[in-house]
């Protein structure tokens, strides 16, 4: 899992595919980083991701539960049309902001 920590914010750079094969590893590593660094905000960066199944939704939901207990938030950035649709249909956008950047 590639990630970056800045103060109390963790950015997780998700792989090309987020599925049951790698979701457990992402969860385990993210939870360790969140705990070790007192993370309040988690940003999921979907720049490289073009496939995600329900395991990926579980990764997001679980990290949301963890940080929401301390008043934190979860965001998504660099979502393509397919990922954005999946996040909306799954209902995860009710707990997660999708940050839109203007494309040049």
């Amino acid at each position: 899992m590639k990630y970056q920590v800045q103060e109390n914010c963790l950015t997780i750079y998700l792989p090309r595919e987020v599925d049951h094969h790698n979701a457990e590893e992402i969860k385990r590593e993210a939870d360790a980083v969140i705990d070790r660094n007192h993370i309040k905000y988690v940003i999921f960066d979907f720049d490289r991701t073009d496939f995600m199944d329900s395991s990926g939704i579980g990764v997001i939901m679980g990290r949301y539960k963890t940080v929401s207990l301390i008043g934190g938030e979860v965001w998504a950035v660099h979502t393509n049309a397919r990922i954005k649709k999946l996040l909306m249909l799954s209902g995860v956008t009710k707990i997660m902001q999708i940050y839109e950047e203007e494309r040049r």
Side-chain angles (χ1 to χ4, degrees), residues 10 20 25 30 34 50-51 61 69 83-85 88 95:
L10 167 64
H20 67 280
E25 179 187 346
I34 289 168
D50 50 46
F51 175 81
M61 298 291 288
L69 294 172
I83 296 295
K84 192 179 296 181
K85 184 175 181 180
M88 293 176 84
I95 60 152

Side-chain angles (χ1 to χ4, degrees), residues 69-86:
L69 294 172
I70 57 168
E73 295 178 15
V74 175
W75 296 316
V77 296
H78 303 129
T79 55
N80 62 31
R82 173 189 264 165
I83 296 295
K84 192 179 296 181
K85 184 175 181 180
L86 176 66

Side-chain angles (χ1 to χ4, degrees), residues 3 15 27 34:
Y3 66 89
K27 285 182 197 176
I34 289 168

